[in-house]
Amino acid sequence: MFDYLPGILHGALLTVGVSLGALAIAVLLGLLGAAAKLSGRTPLVALATFYTTVIRGVPELVLMLLVFYGGTIGLNALLETLGRGEPVDINPFVAGVATLGFIYGAYMTETFRGAMLAVPRGQMEAAWAFGMGRLATFVRITLPQMVRHALPGFTNNWLVLIKSTALVSLIGLKDMTFLAKQASAATREPFFFFLFVGALFLLYTSASLWALRWVQRRFEAGVRRAEGWSHG
């Protein structure tokens, strides 16, 4: 049984890669979606609302299979229309990262929207009055304060995203869940291998929690100092 463990550990690195790649896409889409919802422009608000409503209402597994199989069929149909007869397969890693990032971008949109609303608008208006551009205002005024408000929701979304990476095993990506399933089928010891995978996920999420709590303490340090001065 122990001969399969190095392979599962290698698959764990792939799981880390999928989750980090999906997180990057989710954060980008979340920022764009939150900005669209708060823009006040009807087409952007409607598009962002449609995105978050539909994505949060459809199971991740359905979307994963839809992107992987439906995307492959659609891409090959488009290539055939263009006169290119050679079939193309979507890379499982790309499909997994893109799908998870697209899904959790909807959740990040609501997290970031709430965090942006928590920042007093008067501070942004003061920055604009001093001639600061909107991008500079966001980077220097809104973003640092927004992070502190967004971290609790961000942490929850990140932990759920990590656990959802197990779904990529269903599209043939050889992550640790896929390899554990193969090892358990070969040895008839599913409890041992899936317990091992569960421990790896727990280790990953625990390390993430520790890191994000450290980040939260750093961003809340100034607030605690300010509260101490006001009480003093």
Side-chain angles (χ1 to χ4, degrees), residues 107-108 111-112 148-159:
Y107 294 93
M108 291 294 185
T111 298
F112 294 153
R148 180 170 62 88
H149 296 293
L151 271 173
F154 176 89
T155 300
N156 184 60
N157 291 335
W158 168 238
L159 295 179

Side-chain angles (χ1 to χ4, degrees), residues 3-23:
D3 293 338
Y4 291 94
L5 297 185
I8 295 175
L9 289 173
H10 185 268
L13 296 177
L14 186 60
T15 296
V16 173
V18 170
S19 59
L20 291 176
L23 178 66

